[in-house]
Amino acid sequence: MKQDKRSLQKRGVVLESLPSTLFKVRLEDGKEVLAHLAGKLRIHRIKILPGDQVIVETNEYDEKRGRIIYRGK
């Protein structure tokens, strides 16, 4: 997986599912972000539910938004 120098990966828990595959996620450091699904999760139709452990990739310039790149068990 290629990671951009300006992207940060953080663990979190999905709090709420919103329309258009958006999710409200609380990160380990206590911050809440609005995240959308990465392309591979959409292609393989991975279901994300409130309470799931996820990894969110955020940009260092806008840490209020991100994308979910992995769903844990």
Side-chain angles (χ1 to χ4, degrees):
M1 173 179 10
K2 183 178 177 185
Q3 183 179 0
D4 190 17
K5 292 179 183 178
R6 292 180 294 269
S7 66
L8 307 168
Q9 292 183 2
K10 300 179 181 177
R11 294 184 183 274
V13 177
V14 176
L15 297 177
E16 186 179 356
S17 176
L18 302 170
S20 301
T21 65
L22 286 175
F23 299 91
K24 193 177 286 189
V25 180
R26 176 172 287 133
L27 302 176
E28 287 180 333
D29 57 5
K31 295 179 184 177
E32 288 188 11
V33 298
L34 194 61
H36 65 273
L37 285 180
K40 289 288 184 182
L41 294 176
R42 285 186 189 192
I43 289 171
H44 295 292
R45 297 184 181 181
I46 305 297
K47 302 294 184 207
I48 306 287
L49 299 171
D52 285 347
Q53 300 282 330
V54 294
I55 295 178
V56 178
E57 186 176 69
T58 60
N59 193 335
E60 71 178 35
Y61 300 117
D62 186 11
E63 294 185 358
K64 298 276 186 195
R65 292 185 167 267
R67 66 182 183 151
I68 298 172
I69 59 172
Y70 182 78
R71 177 182 160 251
K73 296 184 178 188

